[in-house]
Amino acid sequence: MTAFSLEPARLTWCAELRALAAERLRPLAEKGEPGRVNRALLTELGALGLLPRLFTSGALDLCLMRESLAHACTEAETALALQGLGAHPVHAHGTEAQRARWLPRVSDGSAVAAFALSEPDAGSDAAALRLAARPDTLSDGRPGWRLTGEKCWISNAPEADFYTVFARTTPGAGARGVTAFLVPADRPGLTGTPLDMLSPHPIGALDFDAVPVTADDVLGEPDRGFRVAMDTLNLFRPSVGAFAVGMAQAALDATLAHTAARDAFGGKLCDLQTVAHQVAEMALRTEAARLMVYAAATAYDEGAPDVPRCAAMAKLLATETAQYVVDTAVQLHGARALRRGHLLEHLYREVRAPRVYEGASEVQRGIIAKELYRTPDSTTKEAGT
């Protein structure tokens, strides 16, 4: 089934991406150290022209890239996505000087970007963040701020070369008092520690001890940083769903091959109705999630007014679907899928995190409900309710 009747050129491109991921990216990923930034992999992503596309592609093409890479190499997908997440605020809201300094290096893989929003006590409730930006006169006499506090669960930390950091410039103002800053990793007072997580991609905590920033480091406008964060998340949430769809499809493909070849009870495993129906359900849910992801990406590209709702729906449906599909695939494979190094053992660890990061599933349901009640549909209006 061809979702949204993608034109032949896009379908061919997706097939090429899957082949590149398997042939050129997966070998580099396998040589990397779990939990560390794989700079060789980033360099190859740049050489293949994929990192530059982060800044020239629409949301649909971003989703196609993430889905295609995830199908063959989740590490390559994640490396690409984290570069986009960390650098998109610079691309969309940065000054000419900020863009000129960092985006070419992000594009060729020589600079690692990170998106520093979450804190120990402010994850999905991003408006509650406490990292303080206190006005101060800096050592060179310029007015600026000092950043003091912590960030946690930051992908690519502490190895990134720069961070998009969200800090509170106006106390007590909620989302209205947050400013986005571009903070190079070599700023005095900025340190970090890696975190050992279930999923093996690089992630860490950051400590800000009076880190100096100036007006030249602001992304967008002071006290308007929450808009920078939400603009970034509205773009990347559907593509998190695409990552999940890619993993679900990989698990489904492995299950089709296994159940068609495995001898059991006098026939093939797929001859058992209970097995065949489970595989059918896996395929149904995967395709439904794919359609929702593509619809949300298309809404973003067309500037539709319901982007926040569509993005939340896509991320929610796709990540929950991928969890179901991978779990079912493990069950149908049996103990072999639990062995270290098996594709499904890898996917089982990878698939859990997307239901939490960039807004947990519960947060997505809250966004969907809020958007539904904010804009009554035409039926409700016509009924006068």
Side-chain angles (χ1 to χ4, degrees):
M1 185 184 301
T2 302
F4 269 91
S5 299
L6 293 177
E7 59 271 24
R10 271 189 165 132
L11 293 173
T12 300
W13 181 52
C14 290
E16 291 171 350
L17 287 176
R18 291 193 294 271
L20 285 173
E23 296 166 9
R24 296 180 59 173
L25 299 175
R26 189 189 299 155
L28 290 171
E30 291 172 349
K31 294 178 182 177
E33 183 180 345
R36 299 293 303 274
V37 171
N38 188 331
R39 290 185 180 262
L41 182 59
L42 283 174
T43 299
E44 186 68 7
L45 284 166
L48 292 172
L50 298 181
L51 293 178
R53 291 196 71 141
L54 290 168
F55 310 117
T56 60
S57 298
L60 180 56
D61 280 349
L62 174 61
C63 287
L64 295 177
M65 278 198 293
R66 293 192 68 174
E67 179 187 343
S68 300
L69 293 179
H71 184 269
C73 182
T74 58
E75 295 91 344
E77 185 284 332
T78 300
L80 175 106
L82 296 182
Q83 287 289 82
L85 185 65
H88 176 77
V90 182
H91 167 68
H93 301 278
T95 64
E96 287 297 328
Q98 290 168 335
R99 290 197 290 266
R101 178 181 179 186
W102 291 109
L103 295 187
R105 294 185 59 200
V106 171
S107 296
D108 66 18
S110 63
V112 178
F115 186 80
L117 178 63
S118 296
E119 298 179 4
D121 297 314
S124 294
D125 184 11
L129 63 84
R130 296 181 181 179
L131 179 69
R134 297 187 176 93
D136 193 15
T137 300
L138 305 182
S139 57
D140 60 3
R142 288 188 296 168
W145 297 265
R146 296 275 183 183
L147 305 182
T148 301
E150 299 176 83
K151 292 291 182 181
C152 199
W153 326 120
I154 307 304
S155 294
N156 281 345
E159 299 180 70
D161 296 298
F162 72 93
Y163 299 90
T164 296
V165 177
F166 298 88
R168 181 158 302 288
T169 40
T170 302
R176 298 179 183 275
V178 172
T179 299
F181 294 95
L182 193 165
V183 183
D186 60 0
R187 286 290 167 87
L190 176 56
T191 58
T193 54
L195 299 172
D196 188 10
M197 306 290 286
L198 174 67
S199 183
H201 81 265
I203 191 167
L206 298 172
D207 184 71
F208 294 78
D209 184 9
V211 175
V213 289
T214 71
D216 292 338
D217 300 311
V218 172
L219 292 168
E221 302 175 41
D223 286 345
R224 304 293 292 274
F226 199 69
R227 175 177 294 180
V228 175
M230 291 303 102
D231 171 66
T232 303
L233 293 175
N234 282 337
L235 170 60
F236 276 85
R237 276 175 176 156
S239 74
V240 174
F243 172 37
V245 168
M247 289 190 286
Q249 188 65 54
L252 174 59
D253 290 347
T255 303
L256 285 168
H258 172 71
T259 55
R262 176 69 186 272
D263 292 318
F265 305 104
K268 299 300 182 183
L269 196 57
C270 62
D271 294 333
L272 299 174
Q273 187 182 68
T274 183
V275 171
H277 284 189
Q278 286 185 78
V279 174
E281 185 70 16
M282 293 164 68
L284 171 67
R285 295 196 193 189
T286 299
E287 189 64 19
R290 178 179 285 113
L291 291 168
M292 179 65 78
V293 166
Y294 291 1
T298 302
Y300 185 96
D301 287 340
E302 294 178 350
D306 58 348
V307 166
R309 176 175 63 85
C310 291
M313 284 182 167
K315 181 183 185 294
L316 174 63
L317 179 63
T319 57
E320 295 288 338
T321 292
Q323 182 78 57
Y324 165 82
V325 171
V326 172
D327 184 73
T328 305
V330 169
Q331 194 70 18
L332 292 176
H333 276 74
R336 73 189 66 232
L338 302 177
R339 292 188 65 184
R340 185 72 68 179
H342 192 281
L343 169 65
L344 291 174
E345 179 269 337
H346 172 76
L347 291 177
Y348 199 75
R349 285 184 287 111
E350 287 277 3
V351 79
R352 189 59 183 86
R355 292 173 60 207
V356 174
Y357 64 61
E358 294 185 42
S361 293
E362 293 76 12
V363 171
Q364 304 310 319
R365 291 186 175 93
I367 293 171
I368 294 165
K370 180 180 179 181
E371 292 297 316
L372 289 172
Y373 284 110
R374 181 193 303 242
T375 309
D377 63 28
S378 59
T379 301
T380 303
K381 290 178 180 177
E382 290 172 4
T385 58

